[in-house]
Amino acid sequence: MKAITVGALVLGTLGLTGCAASSQVTVHPVSTHHYAPTSVVQALTSDPARPYVVIANLHASAPAGTPSAQVVASIEKQAATLGADAVILHNHSRSAPPQVQFNSSGGNYQNVPATVIPDYSGEAIHWVAKGTAAVQ
């Protein structure tokens, strides 16, 4: 019974460690107007020609080696809860240099390749009809 409890504790700790690697999205509201959540958010890399209002500024980063798509998806998910139709993304990711690490179990050194540290910001935007409010 004690072995089962210890095993469950170890698995629970490993599960929480996996969650810690996910990105957290910081939200800075710009608009005081609240929109209904959306189900689809477009990811844009430049300002659209279509008229829009900015709802919020978003930022997310994650540890080195985390897929960039995971960080972008977390921004899109947060933007959807704010009622955004799209998010204008800005990539601030940087490269972590390769490293040489000592492997204590084998008593030798190993090369760890360069990895990307994903870091993105963006503006959550909501489409507006032509002739109404301009970009805030």
Side-chain angles (χ1 to χ4, degrees):
M1 183 69 176
K2 186 176 181 181
I4 293 173
T5 305
V6 171
L9 181 63
V10 169
L11 287 176
T13 303
L14 289 175
L16 290 176
T17 305
C19 294
S22 66
S23 58
Q24 296 283 38
V25 180
T26 306
V27 179
H28 298 284
V30 174
S31 174
T32 56
H33 186 31
H34 297 282
Y35 298 94
T38 55
S39 58
V40 178
V41 175
Q42 292 179 336
L44 307 172
T45 56
S46 61
D47 290 350
R50 188 174 176 176
Y52 64 90
V53 293
V54 177
I55 299 172
N57 292 314
L58 308 172
H59 179 262
S61 60
T66 304
S68 293
Q70 181 179 334
V71 178
V72 170
S74 65
I75 288 178
E76 290 172 343
K77 183 178 179 182
Q78 183 63 49
T81 64
L82 297 172
D85 294 310
V87 63
I88 304 168
L89 293 171
H90 307 285
N91 186 349
H92 309 287
S93 300
R94 58 194 185 284
S95 181
Q99 299 176 2
V100 176
Q101 290 181 340
F102 181 70
N103 182 345
S104 59
S105 64
N108 57 2
Y109 290 91
Q110 62 186 26
N111 291 321
V112 178
T115 57
V116 174
I117 302 169
D119 185 21
Y120 287 84
S121 65
E123 293 88 34
I125 62 174
H126 186 77
W127 303 128
V128 294
K130 289 185 179 185
T132 57
V135 178
Q136 291 181 352

